[in-house]
């Protein structure tokens, strides 16, 4: 391909991307290691189809029994906005009580359930689609001690060009992942042997 053709292809791709509507998404991950449980996330949120319920304060941390988590600095009450209008959201993240983070950084964002209503939590004064990044660490904790159940939790809201989501993945500890991989490997090996015998 000639240099001119590559330039035109690049220009065409740039125009297509520029015409694509902006869309947010927040991705959070919770991992457990020797130091404790670390929740980290980043992304952005399209708040077009949401309604601001209230502005309040809250410490960062996790409350699995109430479907709540919040990233951000520890030891202070963070200024947050709570939005309603979520189409889906988990009622719980497990069965544990509220535990404040021992350290954290960045923006205050996450989710909560109040009176059976799923809420998206964002920094106070948040502007739709602004970038978000934050962490919350609970030193010395485990998923079991927090009552945090491993799995994937998804919150969705909006429609059309404003459809958006937040996804939290609570990653099982490495030993559980290794056992799961061994189980899948054994299952595939058994299926292959059965298939070979049938032939």
């Amino acid at each position: 391909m000639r240099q001119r053709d590559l330039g035109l292809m690049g220009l065409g791709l740039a125009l297509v991307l520029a015409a694509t509507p902006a869309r947010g998404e927040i991705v959070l991950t919770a991992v457990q290691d020797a130091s404790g449980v670390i929740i980290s996330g980043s992304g952005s949120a399209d708040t077009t189809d949401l309604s601001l319920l209230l502005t309040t304060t809250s410490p960062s941390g996790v409350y699995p029994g109430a479907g709540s988590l919040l990233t951000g600095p520890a030891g202070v009450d963070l200024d947050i906005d709570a939005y309603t209008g979520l189409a889906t959201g988990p009622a719980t993240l497990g069965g544990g009580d509220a535990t404040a983070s021992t350290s954290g950084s960045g923006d205050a964002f996450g989710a909560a359930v109040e009176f059976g209503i799923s809420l998206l939590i964002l920094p106070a004064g948040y502007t739709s689609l602004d970038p978000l990044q934050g962490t919350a660490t609970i030193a010395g904790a485990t998923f079991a001690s927090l009552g945090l159940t491993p799995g994937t939790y998804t919150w969705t809201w909006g429609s059309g060009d404003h459809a958006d989501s937040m996804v939290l993945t609570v990653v099982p500890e490495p030993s559980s992942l290794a056992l799961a991989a061994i189980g899948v490997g054994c299952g595939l090996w058994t299926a292959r042997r059965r298939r070979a015998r049938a032939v």
Side-chain angles (χ1 to χ4, degrees):
M1 226 179 236
R2 294 189 315 231
Q3 188 73 17
R4 179 176 159 270
D5 294 337
L6 288 173
L8 290 174
M9 282 178 52
L11 177 61
L13 180 59
L15 290 173
V16 167
L17 291 176
T20 303
R23 185 173 177 275
E25 181 180 45
I26 299 171
V27 177
L28 290 153
T29 304
V31 295
Q32 173 186 306
D33 66 16
S35 67
V37 171
I38 303 112
I39 300 168
S40 60
S42 63
S44 65
D46 186 333
T47 60
T48 303
D49 291 340
L50 297 175
S51 299
L52 179 61
L53 176 66
L54 62 98
T55 298
T56 188
T57 60
S58 177
S60 64
V62 64
Y63 187 172
S68 302
L69 70 118
L70 184 64
T71 63
V76 295
D77 280 342
L78 304 168
D79 294 324
I80 57 170
D81 286 340
Y83 288 87
T84 61
L86 274 65
T88 65
T92 71
L93 307 174
D97 290 328
T99 306
S101 60
T102 53
S103 65
S105 64
D107 299 308
F109 62 93
V113 177
E114 292 290 333
F115 306 109
I117 300 170
S118 290
L119 303 171
L120 179 68
I121 308 299
L122 296 170
Y126 180 77
T127 300
S128 187
L129 295 172
D130 274 357
L132 296 163
Q133 185 167 357
T135 66
T137 299
I138 304 163
T142 64
F143 292 155
S145 71
L146 294 175
L148 187 58
T149 304
T152 301
Y153 302 90
T154 304
W155 296 260
T156 63
W157 63 91
S159 62
D161 291 344
H162 302 291
D164 207 348
S165 65
M166 180 171 70
V167 178
L168 166 67
T169 304
V170 181
V171 181
E173 55 188 307
S175 59
S176 299
L177 288 174
L179 288 174
I182 290 169
V184 169
C186 289
L188 291 173
W189 181 76
T190 302
R192 179 183 280 174
R193 286 197 51 165
R194 285 183 183 157
R195 203 173 325 139
R197 284 184 190 164
V199 173

